[in-house]
Amino acid sequence: MRKIRLETVSRIEGALSLEIKVDSRDNLAGISWKTDLFRAFETLGVGRPLEEMPFLTARICGICAEAHHLASLQAAEEGLGISPPEGIRKIREAFGLISWLRDHLTVLLLFSGPDLESFPSPDSLSWLEKTGLWDLFLENRKHLRRMLEIVGGRGHLALGGIPGGWGKKISSEERKELGERNERVLLLARKTWELYWEKTVSQPFLWPVQSPLVALSPEGSEVLVLPPGKNKPLRFPLSRFYETLVESEEGSFLKRINLPPFGAYLVGPLARFYLFPSPDFPLSREAHQALKNIGEPDLSRASLFRAYEVLWAAERLKHLLPELPINHSLSFAPLKPVRKQGLGAFEAPRGLLLHHYTFDLDAVIKTVKIITPTAQNLGVISDCVPRFWPYWPLTEEKNLLFEIQRFIRTFDPCVPCMVHLLRNRSPRDSSPEKEGQRKIF
């Protein structure tokens, strides 16, 4: 028995290390996921006022801040029995789309981009210079930061939402500026799609998906589940889907989420592509049709579907911006819960994100449950490693570690988002005593 250690999985969000056990016949005997990150947001929220949660949970991750903010707002509003007006919903949608663009472009051009090259892959900056996208990428980082500032009030960790409304007004000049900056983002989106299509479409299928695909329905009230080999998805009310999930622990501080009776499932760009309708916009509609013609879901091409979503998000934002209300009135809803719990859901760039809170009639938090995309994908990652193990090179350890990292990066894992305590369990949580899981506290 020998051990192969990877001290740092590079080009992901957060810190993650692996320990791989291999027997004398080079068969995989076990793999351990480890992280020293510890962000107990589920416990830190207990005892706090409900209205603080959208701002507290936005600090979970520097990349996923807007997604957590929007999911948390929705959970709070469900508990308070309020719904934002149509204009505010459009502002929130624009806010989410801008965060999608920033997140996806960061992942595609800094994290997974070098994996398009043969081993050993270059560093991200060298790869960007080689592609000729370096200057355009830096320019658009500034554009997207400014766009988040216009809509959310600040360029980083933008937080514009208040229960029932939005706290940052948009002037007519700012709305015009958003459109001008988005045109430059759309240019980069087109170039990114073309680059990934050229580099990826000719590659052979390496990692076929054999797990259910899961995504929030476009209207947000249901969860769509597409079992392997099926053409028509199953539809679950959001609350029923959440109550069905089972949470367990995978390694140090890491969550793993299963969906009975299917077990592990996949969320993110691949799932959304096969569960969402074809877009109405010309560039992304053409890209959508091209992707439909290349075959069944395959993880080795997951980044190509992410590049398609960049194109779609930039086009959707272009059509949405003229509809944003100018200098909307600020309204503050009374913070008096009409029910004792709230469930919020948002399709974050990396996949389905869920926030569930329980609270008393004074709107003080009693329990917090946050289910992130990476926690949901972790089961698929863990299950796929043994399945694909025979196809990875074992003669050179550095080549093996490169292939494993490349595989992990296709899921776009965000480690800070999945290292939460397991104390506040939902009714369907698995038992630590029965499964031999250690208790953190």
Side-chain angles (χ1 to χ4, degrees):
M1 185 75 67
R2 66 188 177 101
K3 295 181 179 179
I4 302 174
R5 289 186 174 87
L6 177 61
E7 297 301 328
T8 301
V9 178
S10 63
R11 287 189 268 123
I12 66 170
E13 177 66 14
L16 182 68
S17 62
L18 299 177
E19 182 179 273
I20 305 165
K21 295 180 181 179
V22 183
D23 65 19
S24 58
R25 297 183 178 181
D26 284 337
N27 296 316
L28 179 66
I31 183 167
S32 300
W33 311 83
K34 299 181 179 180
T35 180
D36 294 328
L37 285 172
F38 181 69
R39 298 186 179 187
F41 281 84
E42 291 179 332
T43 297
L44 291 174
V46 175
R48 291 179 178 269
L50 177 60
E51 68 267 25
E52 287 187 8
M53 294 306 295
F55 307 97
L56 174 66
T57 57
R59 267 66 180 181
I60 290 174
C61 176
I63 289 183
C64 309
E66 296 80 20
H68 285 288
H69 186 58
L70 292 172
S72 184
L73 272 174
Q74 190 180 114
E77 288 170 346
E78 184 182 85
L80 296 170
I82 57 178
S83 179
E86 180 66 21
I88 300 303
R89 287 198 291 269
K90 289 182 178 181
I91 292 176
R92 292 183 184 183
E93 182 183 356
F95 183 70
L97 288 170
I98 297 168
S99 74
W100 263 46
L101 289 164
R102 185 206 53 194
D103 191 311
H104 274 348
L105 286 169
T106 299
V107 169
L108 290 168
L109 299 179
L110 288 183
F111 293 175
S112 62
D115 290 336
L116 297 176
E117 308 296 331
S118 58
F119 177 82
S121 61
D123 64 83
S124 300
L125 301 187
S126 299
W127 180 79
L128 269 176
E129 290 182 337
K130 177 182 176 182
T131 61
L133 294 177
W134 172 243
D135 290 337
L136 189 58
F137 174 71
L138 287 184
E139 174 194 334
N140 276 278
R141 291 286 292 181
K142 294 179 181 178
H143 286 316
L144 290 165
R145 185 181 181 91
R146 172 58 182 158
M147 292 165 74
L148 283 173
E149 182 180 11
I150 290 174
V151 179
R154 52 194 295 185
H156 182 59
L157 294 175
L159 306 169
I162 53 177
W166 195 256
K168 170 62 173 66
K169 295 183 178 183
I170 301 174
S171 67
S172 57
E173 293 80 9
E174 288 176 327
R175 191 172 69 176
K176 180 181 177 182
E177 182 182 346
L178 285 170
E180 293 170 348
R181 291 182 181 273
N182 188 58
E183 286 298 321
R184 294 297 293 172
V185 177
L186 182 56
L187 174 61
L188 179 58
R190 293 181 63 175
K191 290 182 176 295
T192 302
W193 161 254
E194 291 167 357
L195 173 66
Y196 268 83
W197 178 263
E198 177 187 352
K199 294 282 189 179
T200 306
V201 71
S202 60
Q203 293 180 358
F205 288 92
L206 299 175
W207 306 320
V209 175
Q210 297 181 357
S211 305
L213 304 176
V214 174
L216 187 67
S217 63
E219 67 277 6
S221 60
E222 295 180 312
V223 174
L224 309 178
V225 178
L226 183 64
K230 302 294 184 179
N231 295 321
K232 188 175 181 180
L234 305 174
R235 307 179 77 93
F236 295 90
L238 178 59
S239 59
R240 180 185 167 198
F241 173 81
Y242 169 75
E243 292 166 359
T244 304
L245 298 178
V246 173
E247 178 183 83
S248 60
E249 188 178 353
E250 180 98 3
S252 58
F253 303 138
L254 302 184
K255 283 185 176 184
R256 173 172 172 154
I257 309 296
N258 286 317
L259 175 63
F262 302 106
Y265 59 95
L266 183 70
V267 299
L270 256 174
R272 288 190 290 256
F273 180 84
Y274 287 98
L275 287 166
F276 284 5
S278 175
D280 296 328
F281 317 117
L283 296 177
S284 48
R285 182 171 59 240
E286 181 181 348
H288 188 277
Q289 186 58 48
L291 285 173
K292 285 185 67 176
N293 294 333
I294 67 173
E296 297 300 317
D298 189 88
L299 289 169
S300 61
R301 299 182 177 185
S303 293
L304 184 58
F305 290 82
R306 188 169 289 113
Y308 152 76
E309 285 197 334
V310 172
L311 198 59
W312 172 84
E315 281 197 294
R316 170 58 186 153
L317 187 60
K318 179 179 180 178
H319 287 77
L320 179 64
L321 289 176
E323 301 176 8
L324 299 188
I326 298 300
N327 292 321
H328 64 275
S329 60
L330 298 181
S331 59
F332 297 88
L335 298 177
K336 190 66 176 177
V338 299
R339 53 181 65 91
K340 295 184 179 181
Q341 63 177 334
L343 175 62
F346 179 70
E347 272 294 337
R350 299 157 192 251
L352 177 60
L353 171 65
L354 299 168
H355 279 233
H356 181 264
Y357 312 142
T358 63
F359 31 82
D360 60 25
L361 294 179
D362 293 321
V364 176
I365 296 291
K366 296 174 65 177
T367 65
V368 177
K369 178 73 70 178
I370 301 172
I371 296 179
T372 65
T374 304
Q376 295 170 86
N377 284 336
L378 186 58
V380 177
I381 300 175
S382 298
D383 294 346
C384 284
V385 170
R387 182 154 62 95
F388 301 137
W389 179 263
Y391 304 99
W392 286 331
L394 296 175
T395 53
E396 288 287 338
E397 192 171 293
K398 60 182 180 180
N399 289 23
L400 170 65
L401 295 178
F402 167 76
E403 289 294 340
I404 290 178
Q405 289 184 86
R406 184 162 73 101
F407 171 74
I408 292 173
R409 280 191 289 266
T410 64
F411 294 87
D412 184 13
C414 185
V415 180
C417 281
M418 66 175 180
V419 287
H420 301 281
L421 286 175
L422 299 174
R423 295 180 66 188
N424 303 320
R425 297 177 175 274
S426 65
R428 293 300 307 276
D429 286 345
S430 53
S431 167
E433 290 78 6
K434 290 181 179 179
E435 296 190 7
Q437 302 164 341
R438 65 179 178 83
K439 290 183 178 180
I440 298 174
F441 286 158

